[in-house]
Amino acid sequence: MKKTISPPIANKKPKKLSIHNDVRIDNYYWLNDKENPEVIDYLNAENAYTKQIMEHTEGFQKELFEEMKGRIKEDDTTVPYKLNGYWYITRYETGKDYPIHVRKKETLDAPEELLFDCNEMAKGLAYFNLGSISVSPDNNLASFSTDVLGRRQYTLQIKNLVTGEVYPDAILNTTGGSTWANDSKTLFYSVKEEVTLRSFKIFKHKLYTDSKEDIEVFYEKDETYNTFVYKTKSKKYIVIGSSSTLTSEYRFVNADTPDEPFKIFQKRKRELDYSIAHYNDCFYIIANCDGATNFKLLKTPENFTEKKYWKDVIPHRDHVLIEDIEIFKDYLVVNERENGLNNLRIMGWNNKEDYYLPFDSETYTAYIGNNPDFDSDVLRYGFNSLTSPSAVIDYNFKTKQSEIMKEQEVLGGKFKKENYISKRIWATARDGAKVPMSLVYKKDTKLDGNSPLLLYGYGSYGSTIDPSFSSLRLSLLDRGFIYAIAHVRGGEYLGRPWYENGKLLFKMNTFYDFIDCSKYLIEEKYTSNQHLYAYGGSAGGMLMGAIVNMNPELYHGIISSVPFVDVVTTMLDDTIPLTTGEYDEWGNPNEINYYNYMKSYSPYDNVVENEYPNMLVTTGLHDSQVQYWEPAKWVAKLRDLKKDSNILLLHIDMDAGHGGASGRFESLKEVALEYAFLLDLEGIHC
């Protein structure tokens, strides 16, 4: 890479930040004011610098973009699903960026009814996202939500599906979701606080009334909780949920009588985490009560919902995590995870059947799909792996037969799954823990220590990064890259304890695991430190920041996307979205033990005079999850202190938020930039 252009240098404006008799000096705190023209000028200068440094790859980026786009079927259609007498379909048309939502009455041969054409709705907008669609029980109305900024603050409206009229009343600053009562006249929805964006209130809207008259039915006063509302699959109850990282609480009302008061299911109790579903005259509960670390399944009569009435259906097992359930008229389906792998368990309500669907891959992803029809005899589930494109499969409970309804098409005529190898390997962490990694590479890629390898990691919130297929990734694999996922602690890949041992005062395990996986890949000659690259986003971006502070010599390049890197300052600012709700994840730095521990790993606070690998950092100006100024400050500080001539780039999408650009193909341009960054470092330009 050429580096003859001087990077932008952010002005230093020292600000003292004091707590617990400790003083931190933040020279770049001023960057958090996006209304300041000087801030925007600096961000634009960073974008211009990135463009200049990467200018010699622009042709290659276009080639990569067209290559990745060329593998994607443009005129594509989802597998139809049936709900309340209608088949619902989402389709894409050639040359258009956004989906078109339609439905057909009773049969797939019926005339198509247009619900929403997002291409029309997005015209003239730099960003557009249709949040959710909720069709009324009488099938005549649809509530829908839109976000035109990328901050996940949705405007909720109602469309008459008979006349096509969109009612003018618009409800601002919602979470995007909404739920109809059975009268098709009462709509429940959740709204966000203006500053923190915490979902904190549930309102009830009556059709044909002004939304200013909407009734507040629930106010979540605890700032560490978020609230939401949904209807049970049985359609009998409207449920309001309230949850923090470790604790949850539910209340419910009969969907036929939405004006009645909600009844609490089980009062919140610190670290009692549960979720509920309804079947016949009982509720089914997934909960961690009575020491069930990996959760167990219980049930209780619908009129006696307190914990003292709960009875075990599937007891707790130390080696099996219960992740989810799906209830049908005749069957219960349980999504379990054992030794990192998904299992779908089929249980008949008649107690005569209890078995697992067979999956014979070494590493794969399987999940319960969209199954809104309570009376169906078919389970829809998804399956894919690092080498197998995503498939939507229907399994018939009665015949025991599976039918692949659709498998992702990889266009271009070059992809054959048998040309790639995927496997799972285990590294030993410094404390003796065995850390799994999922790998994929092309058959002719040499494992001699000279191949480039991109190692991905996340490791927070108990979020499991399953090994899934990506047609985009083929642009790396076909050019000799190995791709690996480190299933580090902080996720739930190996069950709930795997998460517990990677959070709060055990957070360093996440970073150590990733570093020890990196060392293992080098020792076993999958790659070398001249060819090892690491990638993570959001909390995974924090992981990237930590590892380059701790062991920068292991990596030739880093991509850190929308990174959470200024951990201490953000967690001390309770006006920032997500902060208070995440004390159970990171700790509350207002307490000195958490402050000191957090400060010991916070990437921004631990940048020192050192040599750092080549780095590409990306963010969005309107990001509501990780504010843009965190990566901006981090890059500014790295520029000031790093003692090397390696590349350091900051790319800011001035129109987008946490999820990046909207539109089906627009986001591929950022992927092309990232891939060009990696491939250029390897001297690969075609």
Side-chain angles (χ1 to χ4, degrees):
M1 283 185 173
K2 297 181 294 184
K3 191 178 185 236
T4 57
I5 308 152
S6 297
I9 302 299
N11 291 323
K12 291 183 180 180
K13 302 179 182 181
K15 180 178 178 64
K16 286 186 177 181
L17 302 171
S18 303
I19 190 173
H20 305 307
N21 295 316
D22 183 58
V23 178
R24 292 177 300 130
I25 304 297
D26 189 344
N27 289 321
Y28 306 105
Y29 188 89
W30 64 275
L31 286 172
N32 74 353
D33 181 12
K34 67 181 176 184
E35 303 303 320
N36 180 352
E38 185 182 357
V39 172
I40 299 300
D41 287 346
Y42 171 70
L43 298 180
N44 284 329
E46 285 286 2
N47 273 344
Y49 176 69
T50 296
K51 184 174 177 60
Q52 285 179 304
I53 292 295
M54 296 297 292
E55 187 175 14
H56 67 288
T57 71
E58 285 185 358
F60 188 30
Q61 289 181 50
K62 290 178 182 176
E63 179 185 329
L64 288 167
F65 172 81
E66 293 298 336
E67 178 179 291
M68 291 185 287
K69 183 180 178 183
R71 296 194 196 99
I72 299 171
K73 185 175 171 61
E74 288 198 53
D75 55 336
D76 205 3
T77 303
T78 60
V79 181
Y81 69 87
K82 197 170 188 182
L83 175 63
N84 199 22
Y86 281 84
W87 289 96
Y88 288 87
I89 305 162
T90 302
R91 57 179 170 82
Y92 293 87
E93 294 182 351
T94 301
K96 295 183 178 180
D97 256 342
Y98 293 93
I100 299 168
H101 300 273
V102 301
R103 69 178 182 178
K104 297 182 177 185
K105 190 172 184 178
E106 294 301 343
T107 73
L108 290 170
D109 296 324
E112 181 179 278
E113 297 180 29
L114 176 65
L115 301 178
F116 298 94
D117 184 345
C118 295
N119 299 285
E120 291 297 319
M121 298 168 77
K123 279 186 176 177
L125 299 171
Y127 179 94
F128 177 81
N129 181 36
L130 181 67
S132 69
I133 302 168
S134 179
V135 178
S136 60
D138 65 8
N139 291 313
N140 292 331
L141 303 166
S143 55
F144 68 100
S145 59
T146 55
D147 173 15
V148 297
L149 197 59
R151 276 185 71 79
R152 303 182 185 180
Q153 292 172 282
Y154 291 90
T155 298
L156 186 66
Q157 290 180 274
I158 295 174
K159 180 176 183 177
N160 187 314
L161 299 180
V162 178
T163 65
E165 178 189 3
V166 175
Y167 296 155
D169 198 14
I171 304 169
L172 305 180
N173 202 32
T174 78
T175 61
S178 55
T179 301
W180 291 95
N182 289 343
D183 61 4
S184 295
K185 297 177 181 177
T186 308
L187 186 70
F188 294 89
Y189 62 91
S190 51
V191 300
K192 294 186 172 186
E193 288 182 329
E194 287 286 349
V195 177
T196 68
L197 304 189
R198 179 177 72 95
S199 172
F200 76 127
K201 287 184 178 180
I202 305 295
F203 281 87
K204 179 173 61 178
H205 175 75
K206 292 291 186 179
L207 197 60
Y208 307 122
T209 66
D210 192 317
S211 61
K212 294 176 183 177
E213 301 172 9
D214 289 357
I215 297 171
E216 178 187 310
V217 294
F218 179 65
Y219 174 21
E220 178 49 75
K221 297 179 180 178
D222 190 324
E223 61 186 11
T224 67
Y225 282 72
N226 285 277
T227 187
F228 50 93
V229 61
Y230 67 94
K231 186 189 287 186
T232 58
K233 187 176 176 179
S234 66
K235 302 180 183 178
K236 186 171 182 179
Y237 292 106
I238 302 289
V239 179
I240 293 175
S242 227
S243 66
S244 67
T245 304
L246 298 176
T247 310
S248 52
E249 179 183 71
Y250 292 85
R251 55 201 72 221
F252 61 102
V253 70
N254 193 301
D256 289 332
T257 55
D259 295 328
E260 293 292 316
F262 280 76
K263 175 186 175 184
I264 291 181
F265 190 91
Q266 160 60 45
K267 286 185 179 179
R268 66 189 66 179
K269 179 182 178 183
R270 175 72 177 168
E271 297 189 16
L272 173 59
D273 191 5
Y274 72 97
S275 58
I276 62 175
H278 178 256
Y279 174 70
N280 280 356
D281 57 356
C282 289
F283 281 101
Y284 284 76
I285 309 124
I286 300 174
N288 65 348
C289 55
D290 309 317
T293 307
N294 271 331
F295 294 86
K296 60 181 177 177
L297 182 65
L298 311 99
K299 75 173 183 177
T300 193
E302 58 187 354
N303 296 322
F304 299 93
T305 61
E306 292 176 274
K307 180 180 172 294
K308 63 183 178 181
Y309 299 110
W310 300 359
K311 303 295 182 185
D312 282 10
V313 176
I314 301 177
H316 177 252
R317 293 155 292 171
D318 291 334
H319 61 291
V320 178
L321 173 68
I322 294 180
E323 292 191 326
D324 195 12
I325 61 171
E326 187 73 67
I327 289 177
F328 294 88
K329 172 184 60 177
D330 296 325
Y331 290 88
L332 168 69
V333 180
V334 187
N335 189 350
E336 302 178 347
R337 185 181 296 273
E338 183 175 7
N339 196 32
L341 301 178
N342 306 110
N343 294 309
L344 299 182
R345 183 178 181 181
I346 313 297
M347 304 173 68
W349 291 118
N350 59 11
N351 295 318
K352 293 180 180 179
E353 295 178 276
D354 187 349
Y355 58 94
Y356 290 88
L357 293 183
F359 301 121
D360 56 5
S361 300
E362 183 179 1
T363 178
Y364 62 86
T365 299
Y367 55 92
I368 297 173
N370 187 17
N371 294 274
D373 187 357
F374 182 75
D375 295 326
S376 178
D377 290 329
V378 173
L379 165 69
R380 177 161 293 171
Y381 71 94
F383 179 88
N384 69 90
S385 73
L386 291 168
T387 58
S388 299
S390 299
V392 176
I393 302 169
D394 280 0
Y395 173 78
N396 191 296
F397 297 121
K398 305 298 185 185
T399 66
K400 307 291 190 293
Q401 297 297 308
S402 292
E403 180 182 1
I404 297 176
M405 304 302 293
K406 179 176 182 175
E407 184 175 69
Q408 175 187 352
E409 290 186 61
V410 181
L411 303 184
K414 296 181 180 179
F415 172 74
K416 293 181 180 179
K417 62 181 72 174
E418 58 269 21
N419 289 338
Y420 301 85
I421 295 172
S422 68
K423 61 183 179 180
R424 188 166 60 161
I425 60 176
W426 300 75
T428 303
R430 61 197 67 189
D431 64 354
K434 300 293 184 182
V435 184
M437 286 181 280
S438 298
L439 277 73
V440 63
Y441 50 90
K442 205 168 183 184
K443 273 185 175 180
D444 57 5
T445 299
K446 294 180 180 179
L447 306 182
D448 59 1
N450 294 313
S451 293
L453 188 150
L454 179 60
L455 181 62
Y456 177 85
Y458 187 73
S460 292
Y461 304 106
S463 179
T464 298
I465 306 301
D466 281 311
S468 57
F469 182 81
S470 167
S471 68
L472 308 183
R473 192 186 300 136
L474 297 174
S475 291
L476 291 181
L477 302 183
D478 290 349
R479 290 175 171 85
F481 261 79
I482 302 167
Y483 178 81
I485 304 168
H487 303 289
V488 295
R489 279 173 281 190
E492 280 185 349
Y493 187 80
L494 294 180
R496 188 73 174 184
W498 200 243
Y499 167 47
E500 300 289 349
N501 287 316
K503 61 183 288 197
L504 296 174
L505 299 177
F506 296 99
K507 190 64 209 170
M508 291 295 285
N509 284 335
T510 302
F511 315 136
Y512 291 150
D513 284 357
F514 193 91
I515 290 167
D516 293 341
C517 284
S518 301
K519 290 179 177 178
Y520 180 83
L521 290 167
I522 293 170
E523 290 165 3
E524 295 298 312
K525 295 196 178 300
Y526 285 95
T527 190
S528 67
N529 59 351
Q530 288 84 30
H531 300 286
L532 177 58
Y533 303 89
Y535 183 18
S538 195
M542 177 192 65
L543 170 60
M544 296 300 102
I547 64 169
V548 295
N549 284 334
M550 297 165 72
N551 286 92
E553 77 285 354
L554 291 176
Y555 308 95
H556 190 224
I558 298 285
I559 298 177
S560 186
S561 175
V562 292
F564 176 37
V565 284
D566 190 14
V567 184
V568 177
T569 305
T570 290
M571 292 306 298
L572 281 169
D573 186 351
D574 59 13
T575 69
I576 294 177
L578 302 185
T579 291
T580 56
E582 303 209 346
Y583 288 156
D584 288 334
E585 180 71 25
W586 312 105
N588 183 349
N590 292 293
E591 300 175 23
I592 190 168
N593 60 327
Y594 287 115
Y595 173 84
N596 288 335
Y597 189 76
M598 203 176 285
K599 187 182 174 186
S600 74
Y601 67 75
S602 173
Y604 182 65
D605 290 288
N606 287 281
V607 174
V608 295
E609 292 189 1
N610 201 357
E611 293 187 355
Y612 285 88
N614 298 286
M615 296 174 65
L616 170 62
V617 181
T618 65
T619 188
L621 182 64
H622 302 294
D623 196 329
S624 62
Q625 309 296 106
V626 178
Q627 309 297 320
Y628 74 90
W629 62 75
E630 292 201 35
K633 289 166 53 177
W634 183 41
V635 168
K637 190 172 183 180
L638 282 165
R639 286 208 194 289
D640 182 49
L641 293 176
K642 76 189 195 81
K643 301 298 180 184
D644 58 74
S645 58
N646 289 329
I647 298 294
L648 174 59
L649 303 177
L650 175 63
H651 173 69
I652 311 104
D653 189 324
M654 303 299 281
D655 296 316
H658 198 63
S662 67
R664 194 176 181 204
F665 300 112
E666 193 66 25
S667 61
L668 298 186
K669 293 178 181 177
E670 185 165 303
V671 179
L673 172 66
E674 294 171 350
Y675 283 8
F677 173 78
L678 295 173
L679 291 163
D680 191 45
L681 288 170
E682 283 293 312
I684 301 170
H685 300 103
C686 62

